[in-house]
Amino acid sequence: MQRTHRNTIFRTLAVTVVALALTLGLSQLKAMQDLEATTFDVRMLAFPPETRASDAIVMIWLDEATMAALPYRTPIPRNFLAQLHERIMAAKPKLVGYDIFFKGASFPKDDQMLVAALSGTPAYGVFPRRADGSADAPDPLFLEALAGTGLADLPFDPFDSTVRRAQVRIETEQGTFPSFAAELYHAATGMSALATISEEALRPHLGPLALTPFVAPNEQILIRFAGPPGVVGGADNAYKIYSAALVHRGLIPTAWLEDKIVLVGASYTDLKDAFLTPYYSPSTDYARMNGVEIHANILSSLLTQQFFFAPTRLQVWICIALGIVVMAFIAARLSPWGTSGCALLFGCAIAGSAIAAFRFGIVLPIIAPMTGLASAFGSGLGLRALTEGKQKRFIKGVFARYVPPTIVDRMTAHPELVKLGGEKRRVTSLFSDIASFTTISERLDPETLVAFLNDYLGCMNEALLAQGATIDKYEGDAIIAFFNAPLDVADHERCAVHAAIAMQRIETEVTERWQERCGRAIVTRIGINTGSAVVGNMGSEGRFDYTAIGDTINLASRLEGANKFYDTTLMASEATMQALGDEVISRPLDCIRVKGKREPIRIFEIMGLRSDMDPERERGFITPYHEAFADFTARKFDDAHRIIAELLNRFPNDGPSRSLLARIERARTEPNWDLVTDLMGK
């Protein structure tokens, strides 16, 4: 027991180190970061948090209808902007923000007209940052007329050019400037945007973890959009949006603008001020969002104090490390199937918790934790495979001295057989293996494990020899045997099946003796196949074994392993089944194609002897299954589905029925499928 504990600790530590290193390395890849950003977009589209748009914000857009009536587009006619501003100011707004660059001369009279309209009013403008990092401020006459200005820059992801984040203060060659939204927020409330975002009282907690709104360097935050891109006059808009042409003509009631923060921006078709956002998807007809609307969303978040929050990088990696330790421990203790189930459960928990938290404005990472989970899962199973292989080789060496008595007798009678070489014979090959043997071997100390194997293999050996089998070899808990060599065995297919059924009966007796110490029932998986094989003494002059080789033997091994996929314990090929009479109850499982072979093979589950079968069970369970399988092979998928669904209602744990139902559903969606399952591995 102490040795088992040490092995568990060693495996857990080894897997933790490897998985953590893998996760750290992969997380540095740009592709992983881009994938994380994509998960944010998916959540924003499918599971957006309830976000209220500030009703203090309205927008006036220079849309195509507005621009079509103007003599030119660049720069926007200053006399028109002057008249528009006077119309807006007549409604007594709280302030007006222009997402328009007041740069470059036009007609002097028109420029002076706009300066006169802007002067002395709460009008604010934007300016960009040049590629060299310097601020490209408005022309001096407009700069003096405006009440304030802010930088228009919007951080976007270089991978997909999508705007997901905002920055409320930006460094330039001339110094630090507020963003456009931050400047408007300060003008409207007198408060600092950065101070509001940093307000400790707004930060939610996940247990002991205090979350942060800052998700990237330079104090960047994720934009909490109130809705998808709007359109002028749209009923589903998050914000009220009016056409500048209507405002200019006085067709918008002044009450709609009174005491509002009015944002004026352009939205005409040849404009380059529209950006990709998380809403750029088929559901929005791939609509881009105008820059002025993005500024409106940032300003709305400040006014309503609705932000996205996320754990810090340190908090994330502490949680990932703890998760890796737990997954590594599970991989060290549970069987591969149990480990797989836990990994699937943890994966669902990661995705589910991220989605649930997002609904409350909390952005939890998905890709990095999933990478850690996958790394721990893969490393754990890999280490288990290496360890299991080592255990199997150790046990095989201990029992290598056992030679089948039939071979000894034949060699005594015919010394000429003691040489290399062999003959080609038709044989029936049988492979058996204990399910979850690794779990059992880890539970027992070496002495007890040897005693268990001696008991188990001895009992199984008797059942096989009673039917005339040749024990090829033991590979740990696995038994490899064949019938009809070196001596002829009449009805060797029948003998192999009877031996397998006897082995399953014996495993019940072994379970009664060992279940308490092994911690589980002993379940033997068996695969049987009939065909030609080369049999004889193979090895070196100093050491050789009487064995059989060939595709027949390999397929029997494949069938033994395939039991796992169909949730069966005794499987045989069609070649074996064709030689059996009615005394054996069986049912077809599938038509498979093994790796490296083109011709499909039908496989069957052997369910027992007819003399032992309850007739009621045969009529109510086995017969309907045969009908469903026949309908499936005849491509009557609806009839097959109806029968197998009814059968599963009564026998929900029947593995072959579940497998058949899955293949029926696949056949419905893949009409060109030849109904053959490709079996790529054991």
Side-chain angles (χ1 to χ4, degrees):
M1 187 64 69
Q2 188 176 6
R3 178 185 178 89
T4 301
H5 289 328
R6 286 199 301 268
N7 288 340
T8 300
I9 293 173
F10 167 75
R11 289 184 180 183
T12 301
L13 290 176
V15 170
T16 298
V17 171
V18 172
L20 194 56
L22 278 173
T23 307
L24 283 168
L26 291 172
S27 68
Q28 304 304 311
L29 298 177
K30 189 67 173 64
M32 302 295 281
Q33 299 166 16
D34 296 334
L35 194 57
E36 187 66 62
T38 301
T39 69
F40 175 82
D41 296 348
V42 172
R43 283 176 277 180
M44 198 69 201
L45 283 167
F47 312 101
E50 185 176 343
T51 303
R52 178 176 58 86
S54 173
D55 55 12
I57 299 173
V58 298
M59 284 182 279
I60 297 174
W61 284 4
L62 298 161
D63 57 355
E64 190 60 35
T66 301
M67 301 305 293
L70 299 178
Y72 52 88
R73 297 183 176 224
T74 305
I76 298 170
R78 302 281 167 73
N79 60 335
F80 173 80
L81 291 177
Q83 295 164 7
L84 177 64
H85 186 71
E86 289 172 353
R87 283 286 190 184
I88 296 171
M89 292 310 302
K92 298 180 180 178
K94 178 175 289 186
L95 57 87
V96 183
Y98 285 93
D99 186 24
I100 297 172
F101 296 156
F102 294 122
K103 189 78 173 177
S106 66
F107 298 105
K109 180 180 178 181
D110 292 348
D111 292 346
Q112 290 301 324
M113 184 177 178
L114 178 57
V115 168
L118 295 174
S119 297
T121 66
Y124 294 80
V126 295
F127 60 95
R129 183 172 53 171
R130 296 189 183 96
D132 62 2
S134 62
D136 191 7
D139 289 342
L141 72 164
F142 297 119
L143 188 60
E144 292 178 6
L146 292 168
T149 56
L151 270 167
D153 288 52
L154 295 168
F156 62 86
D157 193 315
F159 170 71
D160 56 8
S161 300
T162 298
V163 175
R164 301 181 180 92
R165 301 186 301 275
Q167 195 171 341
V168 296
R169 62 179 184 181
I170 304 169
E171 298 289 337
T172 71
E173 291 292 331
Q174 291 88 346
T176 302
F177 291 92
S179 69
F180 184 43
E183 178 67 14
L184 294 178
Y185 177 70
H186 181 265
T189 64
M191 298 171 63
S192 162
L194 186 61
T196 297
I197 296 171
S198 304
E199 179 62 46
E200 193 69 32
L202 297 177
R203 298 191 178 192
H205 289 69
L206 283 179
L209 304 180
L211 306 182
T212 176
F214 301 111
V215 296
N218 303 322
E219 299 166 337
Q220 291 183 8
I221 63 172
L222 287 167
I223 301 174
R224 187 157 169 173
F225 293 95
V231 295
V232 171
D236 297 327
N237 291 346
Y239 306 93
K240 299 294 183 182
I241 304 174
Y242 308 118
S243 170
L246 297 180
V247 177
H248 181 262
R249 292 200 296 269
L251 300 179
I252 298 296
T254 58
W256 291 3
L257 306 180
E258 185 177 356
D259 202 35
K260 300 292 186 181
I261 300 174
V262 180
L263 299 184
V264 181
S267 67
Y268 47 90
T269 54
D270 55 345
L271 179 70
K272 295 184 179 179
D273 191 38
F275 301 89
L276 303 181
T277 67
Y279 292 106
Y280 186 76
S281 72
S283 63
T284 62
D285 199 22
Y286 297 102
R288 295 171 180 256
M289 186 174 286
N290 294 317
V292 65
E293 191 172 6
I294 297 177
H295 292 304
N297 276 282
I298 301 169
L299 177 58
S300 177
S301 288
L302 292 166
L303 292 172
T304 60
Q305 297 185 349
Q306 298 175 103
F307 307 106
F308 277 122
F309 295 90
T312 65
R313 182 175 176 83
L314 177 61
Q315 292 168 348
V316 167
W317 281 104
I318 289 175
C319 292
I320 289 175
L322 291 175
I324 286 176
V325 170
V326 172
M327 191 67 240
F329 178 77
I330 289 173
R333 294 291 295 176
L334 299 186
S335 67
W337 284 110
T339 302
S340 300
C342 289
L344 179 62
L345 183 65
F346 289 166
C348 292
I350 290 170
S353 60
I355 291 171
F358 197 81
R359 299 284 293 178
F360 294 94
I362 298 173
V363 183
L364 299 180
I366 293 180
I367 300 304
M370 287 290 194
T371 303
L373 174 65
S375 299
F377 174 73
S379 301
L381 291 189
L383 182 60
R384 173 180 286 274
L386 291 174
T387 306
E388 181 176 349
K390 183 178 179 180
Q391 291 173 338
K392 293 252 185 180
R393 288 190 296 272
F394 168 76
I395 297 172
K396 177 183 176 182
V398 171
F399 291 93
R401 65 182 181 274
Y402 293 108
V403 178
T406 54
I407 296 179
V408 175
D409 293 341
R410 180 74 178 266
M411 289 179 178
T412 302
H414 302 278
E416 69 274 9
L417 290 177
V418 187
K419 61 181 181 179
L420 296 179
E423 59 182 336
K424 191 172 185 178
R425 294 178 64 96
R426 183 172 178 83
V427 300
T428 296
S429 177
L430 182 149
F431 273 67
S432 76
D433 189 73
I434 299 177
S436 302
F437 177 68
T438 299
T439 302
I440 295 173
S441 65
E442 289 176 345
R443 187 181 178 92
L444 304 177
D445 59 65
E447 292 78 11
T448 307
L449 178 60
V450 170
F452 163 71
L453 283 175
N454 281 336
D455 185 8
Y456 171 82
L457 295 174
C459 292
M460 296 302 172
N461 188 70
E462 290 178 5
L464 288 164
L465 294 181
Q467 295 293 333
T470 295
I471 310 297
D472 187 336
K473 60 177 70 71
Y474 301 119
E475 289 187 350
D477 59 302
I479 302 174
I480 304 173
F482 49 87
F483 298 74
N484 205 41
L487 304 176
D488 293 334
V489 177
D491 299 324
H492 53 89
E493 299 92 343
R494 176 181 174 276
C495 292
V497 171
H498 276 261
I501 294 173
M503 291 169 70
Q504 292 193 323
R505 289 174 179 167
I506 291 172
E507 76 179 16
T508 304
E509 302 171 5
V510 176
T511 295
E512 292 176 358
R513 295 193 295 271
W514 288 93
Q515 182 169 9
E516 183 176 351
R517 281 173 286 182
C518 292
R520 64 191 307 126
I522 308 304
V523 178
T524 304
R525 292 190 292 251
I526 303 173
I528 303 174
N529 181 44
T530 300
S532 297
V534 175
V535 295
N537 293 295
M538 301 180 195
S540 65
E541 290 289 343
R543 180 177 176 84
F544 51 84
D545 290 314
Y546 188 83
T547 187
I549 60 173
D551 290 340
T552 296
I553 312 301
N554 296 336
L555 181 57
S557 174
R558 291 285 186 89
L559 296 185
E560 180 273 312
N563 278 294
K564 294 180 286 186
F565 305 115
Y566 296 91
D567 197 15
T568 56
T569 56
L570 178 48
M571 186 182 298
S573 68
E574 185 175 20
T576 300
M577 298 303 298
Q578 287 174 341
L580 301 180
D582 293 337
E583 65 177 322
V584 174
I585 298 291
S586 66
R587 58 173 168 172
L589 286 175
D590 200 353
C591 191
I592 65 171
R593 185 184 296 110
V594 298
K595 185 176 181 181
K597 298 295 180 181
R598 299 179 61 182
E599 293 300 320
I601 301 164
R602 294 186 69 190
I603 56 175
F604 297 79
E605 179 189 15
I606 296 174
M607 305 186 72
L609 299 177
R610 188 175 298 277
S611 59
D612 298 332
M613 181 66 64
D614 180 5
E616 193 64 32
R617 174 174 171 79
E618 184 176 355
R619 287 191 300 270
F621 174 64
I622 300 175
T623 300
Y625 177 91
H626 276 272
E627 294 172 356
F629 194 91
D631 286 338
F632 171 73
T633 56
R635 293 188 171 271
K636 299 177 181 179
F637 301 128
D638 291 340
D639 292 340
H641 187 280
R642 174 181 54 78
I643 297 172
I644 209 69
E646 293 174 356
L647 202 61
L648 281 171
N649 282 335
R650 292 185 290 125
F651 306 97
N653 296 323
D654 184 51
S657 295
R658 292 198 304 267
S659 174
L660 178 55
L661 180 62
R663 298 199 303 281
I664 292 170
E665 292 173 347
R666 177 186 173 186
R668 282 174 160 179
T669 58
E670 299 179 26
N672 295 326
W673 181 38
D674 61 0
L675 306 185
V676 177
T677 301
D678 291 313
L679 190 65
M680 292 294 101
K682 179 177 178 181

